[in-house]
Amino acid sequence: MNNLQCDVLIIGAGPAGMAAALAAGESQQRIVMLDDNPRPGGQIWRDGPEVELPALASQYRQAIDALEHFTLLNGSKVVAQSGPQQLLYENDKGCGTIDYQRLILCCGARELLLPFPGWTLPGVTGAGGLQAQIKNGLSLRGERVVIAGSGPLLLAVADSVSKAGGKVTLLAEQAAMSRLVTFAKGLWQWPAKVRQSLGLINRCYRPNSYVLEAQGQQRLAAVRVQQGGQIRTIACDRLACGFGLVANIELAMLLGCRIENAAISVDEWQQTSITNLYAAGECTGVGGSELALVEGTIAGYAASGNTAAAQALLAKRSKWQRFATAVSQTFLLNPALKNLGAADTFLCRCEDVTLGQINTQSGWTACKLNSRCGMGACQGKICATAARYLLDWPIPQPRVPLTPVRLETLAVLTPRQADDVE
C-alpha cells in the first residue's frame, strides 16, 4: 500500500481542479491531485481519440505537467476517510492513503436522469454519456438521434453528434420559449457566451418539448415526444436524454461539510464549513467552466495562503455567478416531468426496482430496506438522485465505501471505520 503526504490535496482534475493546482503551485506547495478519469480535463475537457481539445484546455494541461512538487493520480477513486486528514483511495495498481494539510474538493457534477417508459432500452443514454462515448471514438454515421431534456449541454451534445456523422432529428428542450428569449436578451453581459451560442445553433431545437416514451422491442426504434400541445412519434436510432446536472457532494457530506441547495456551501474564499477544507466548481453549484476556473483559482490561492491574489478574482467570480443564476432560472424543470414514469417503469435499472415499488416509501432509507434499490453498480448515484427530485426526499447520507472496491482495500480501514461499511 502506498502512502502519500502533501500540503494540498485536490480531488478532481477538471477545470476547477487544474486551476486550483496552478494557483497553489505558485507558492511551491506539495500538491497531489486525484481523479477517476485516465487523463485530466473532467467531462467538459474530456480527452479521447476523436477529440481536438480547446486551446485553453491544452494550456492548462501543459501548465500542470510543468508543476514542481506535483503528483497526479489518474484512474483513482476516493473510498473513505481513513484518518483526521487522510483519505483512502483505490486504482488498478492497488490502494493507498493520502495525508494532507488542506483539501480542495473539485468533484464536479453528473447528469440528472429521470425515468420514463422505455428509458432502459438499448440505444437510450444520458446526453453527456453519449457525448463521452463520441469523444472516445464512437461513430454515429448514418444514425438518427433525438436529444431531449434541458440545459445548454443539449446544444453541445447535438454539435458532437453532427461531427460524429449522426443526424439530429429533434432537440427537445423542456424550457418554455419565453424563458429562453429572456435568457438570450441578457447574454450581451457575457460576450464569450454569445459567440459560443451562435456556433451551436441547431435548426431542430424545439422549446417546450420533452420525451414521453422510448419505444422498441429489443432496441430503441422511436420516441414519443410532447411538443407544445402536440404529441409526436419520431423514428430514431438513439435517444440522448439529460435533465440538467446535479452536484457531486457525497464526499463532502461524508466529511461533514454543510450542504445548501444540494451543493457544497462555501464562503468568499471557497472554504467550506470545515477549516482547511475548500470546494470549487460544479460541486458548489452548477455554473459552467468559466465559473469553475475562477472558483478553482480562488480556492488554490486561499488554500496556499495567498489571499491577496484570491481577493483580486472576486469580481470576476461574481460575473460568472450571475451567468450561472441566469442559466438555473431559465432551465428550471417543468413539474410535469415528475409524472413521466408509470408504476412499472424502472427507477433502479441496476436492480430492476420499479417506481411502483418505491413510491409508497417514506424516504431513501426505507426504500433500501424494502427493496434492493441503490445497491447496484452505480450505488444509487442515478436512482437516488432521481428519487430525490421525483419524491422530494432529503439527500441520503453517504456510507463507506463511496464506490465498489476490492476487499483488500476495505481491510485498510480500522475496525471502527469498517463498522460503517454498507
Side-chain angles (χ1 to χ4, degrees):
M1 186 182 75
N2 192 24
N3 176 259
L4 296 172
Q5 296 186 358
C6 62
D7 298 309
V8 180
L9 171 59
I10 301 170
I11 306 299
M18 289 195 286
L22 292 180
E26 291 182 16
S27 301
Q28 298 298 304
Q29 301 285 305
R30 294 175 301 161
I31 302 167
V32 173
M33 177 184 284
L34 183 149
D35 190 77
D36 60 358
N37 290 306
R39 290 172 293 272
Q43 172 66 8
I44 191 167
W45 288 344
R46 180 184 289 270
D47 203 351
E50 298 300 318
V51 175
E52 182 178 347
L53 287 173
L56 186 60
S58 297
Q59 291 170 16
Y60 269 89
R61 286 183 59 169
Q62 292 167 10
I64 64 169
D65 285 343
L67 280 175
E68 298 179 358
H69 317 298
F70 176 76
T71 301
L72 175 61
L73 295 175
N74 280 325
S76 303
K77 296 184 178 182
V78 175
V79 175
Q81 182 181 26
S82 49
Q85 288 185 292
Q86 183 187 78
L87 295 182
L88 173 65
Y89 72 92
E90 182 185 90
N91 55 31
D92 60 356
K93 299 179 180 65
C95 66
T97 57
I98 309 173
D99 292 290
Y100 60 86
Q101 298 301 311
R102 274 95 52 202
L103 174 63
I104 305 177
L105 301 180
C106 302
C107 305
R110 61 183 181 270
E111 285 187 282
L112 171 61
L113 302 176
L114 298 179
F116 52 86
W119 78 294
T120 58
L121 277 172
V124 181
T125 65
L130 180 58
Q131 187 181 50
Q133 292 179 63
I134 292 171
K135 290 181 178 181
N136 285 327
L138 176 67
S139 173
L140 299 179
R141 191 166 302 280
E143 295 193 24
R144 302 161 298 175
V145 182
V146 171
I147 300 171
S150 192
L153 174 63
L154 301 186
L155 289 167
V157 174
D159 184 61
S160 297
V161 167
S162 298
K163 290 177 179 176
K167 179 182 179 183
V168 177
T169 55
L170 175 67
L171 203 169
E173 166 58 61
Q174 63 86 40
M177 174 63 83
S178 58
R179 284 185 177 173
L180 295 170
V181 170
T182 300
F183 177 67
K185 287 181 178 178
L187 269 184
W188 60 268
Q189 302 171 75
W190 308 279
K193 289 299 181 182
V194 174
R195 293 189 294 271
Q196 186 182 65
S197 61
L198 290 175
L200 295 176
I201 290 175
N202 191 292
R203 62 183 181 83
C204 296
Y205 191 87
R206 298 291 184 273
N208 197 26
S209 303
Y210 52 89
V211 62
L212 296 174
E213 179 185 11
Q215 300 175 333
Q217 297 299 318
Q218 301 302 315
R219 184 178 173 79
L220 176 71
V223 177
R224 287 180 64 242
V225 177
Q226 181 80 44
Q227 190 172 315
Q230 299 181 329
I231 296 178
R232 297 178 57 200
T233 299
I234 302 169
C236 61
D237 304 297
R238 291 184 185 269
L239 168 62
C241 202
F243 295 90
L245 301 174
V246 290
N248 289 324
I249 58 175
E250 287 76 16
L251 178 55
M253 292 181 67
L254 191 71
L255 296 173
C257 298
R258 183 170 64 246
I259 304 298
E260 294 181 355
N261 300 318
I264 305 171
S265 176
V266 294
D267 64 13
E268 63 175 338
W269 307 114
Q270 299 295 139
Q271 184 169 246
T272 70
S273 57
I274 297 176
T275 303
N276 292 326
L277 202 168
Y278 301 79
E282 308 284 58
C283 60
T284 65
V286 176
S289 61
E290 294 87 356
L291 179 57
L293 286 169
V294 68
E295 285 184 348
T297 305
I298 291 172
Y301 280 139
S304 57
N306 193 349
T307 54
Q311 178 79 41
L313 292 168
L314 299 186
K316 184 177 181 181
R317 183 182 61 189
S318 179
K319 167 188 172 181
W320 289 111
Q321 284 176 333
R322 292 195 301 273
F323 175 76
T325 299
V327 170
S328 65
Q329 292 174 347
T330 300
F331 297 101
L332 282 173
L333 295 184
N334 185 337
L337 299 175
K338 293 190 175 188
N339 302 314
L340 294 180
D344 60 351
T345 301
F346 288 125
L347 171 70
C348 177
R349 56 188 179 185
C350 296
E351 297 294 335
D352 293 347
V353 179
T354 65
L355 287 169
Q357 291 175 265
I358 64 96
N359 60 13
T360 59
Q361 304 300 326
S362 58
W364 185 244
T365 300
C367 176
K368 295 183 74 174
L369 288 172
N370 290 280
S371 72
R372 288 191 53 82
C373 197
M375 298 186 185
C378 87
Q379 292 291 284
K381 287 184 173 61
I382 294 175
C383 53
T385 305
R388 192 171 82 210
Y389 171 75
L390 295 173
L391 301 170
D392 298 316
W393 285 349
I395 301 172
Q397 180 64 33
R399 299 282 299 274
V400 173
L402 289 173
T403 184
V405 293
R406 296 183 289 266
L407 288 176
E408 51 265 38
T409 301
L410 291 178
V412 175
L413 298 174
T414 65
R416 181 174 181 178
Q417 291 165 340
D419 287 342
D420 292 330
V421 172
E422 187 171 76

